[in-house]
Amino acid sequence: MTIEIGSRIPSVTLNVLKDGVQAITTDEIFSGRKVVLFSVPGAFTPTCSAKHLPGYVENFDKFQSRGIDVACMAVNDAYVMKAWSKDQHVPEALIMLADGNANLARALGLEMDASAFGMGVRSKRFALYAEDGVVKALNVDAPGEFKVSSAQAVLETIGD
């Protein structure tokens, strides 16, 4: 079942690469904070690298000026997420989350089967906005589309 507006983000452990692979929980990421979490089907994939992540990098200051943290998630390992971050010139404060086993994608009900593309289980393309761990907005793109989860669409959704 897909998470809904008003629901609490499930407690899941993810990874980041800082001085080695570090575990980080969704409670640490979301508790007491305003956070936009956007997810891509895969690091280094065409739309994700050409449009999705770059839009958040370009608009990062707009989120920060509103007191909103930004996190990017993909069903990749922490080393891939770090390499992608470096390749895309991601600001250090933009959290690059590795959901290597798709645990958060599944817990949110936003996983997809990309086996036909040789990618196995991945996350759908989405963005959510949460305050203190409670989902306030959820934008999920239809398969093959990139519209509602863009940085610009999320900025419009959450308003000033």
Side-chain angles (χ1 to χ4, degrees):
M1 188 164 139
T2 303
I3 195 162
E4 297 176 344
I5 293 171
S7 298
R8 181 159 289 286
I9 301 288
S11 185
V12 175
T13 300
L14 303 158
N15 290 307
V16 293
L17 187 62
K18 290 185 181 182
D19 300 321
V21 176
Q22 303 289 319
I24 186 169
T25 67
T26 50
D27 296 330
E28 292 173 88
I29 297 163
F30 291 96
S31 291
R33 300 163 73 183
K34 296 176 182 178
V35 180
V36 167
L37 170 68
F38 72 99
S39 185
V40 299
F44 292 106
T45 56
T47 301
C48 305
S49 292
K51 297 177 184 175
H52 208 168
L53 179 55
Y56 282 91
V57 170
E58 291 165 16
N59 288 284
F60 185 69
D61 290 341
K62 291 179 184 174
F63 289 102
Q64 290 283 278
S65 70
R66 295 177 183 192
I68 300 171
D69 294 319
V70 179
C72 173
M73 181 185 88
V75 180
N76 289 109
D77 64 61
Y79 296 99
V80 169
M81 294 302 285
K82 181 70 172 183
W84 193 38
S85 173
K86 185 176 179 180
D87 179 73
Q88 294 285 315
H89 309 287
V90 172
E92 190 171 326
L94 196 157
I95 307 163
M96 298 296 281
L97 297 169
D99 188 20
N101 294 322
N103 292 334
L104 183 54
R106 285 186 177 103
L108 295 171
L110 292 168
E111 78 278 9
M112 69 174 188
D113 183 358
S115 298
F117 306 104
M119 297 170 67
V121 174
R122 294 293 175 132
S123 174
K124 292 180 180 178
R125 185 180 306 282
F126 73 86
L128 64 78
Y129 170 66
E131 294 179 1
D132 194 25
V134 176
V135 178
K136 301 293 184 180
L138 177 62
N139 298 355
V140 182
D141 278 306
E145 289 188 354
F146 172 63
K147 294 180 182 175
V148 299
S149 66
S150 71
Q152 192 58 45
V154 171
L155 284 166
E156 290 171 13
T157 297
I158 60 178
D160 289 328

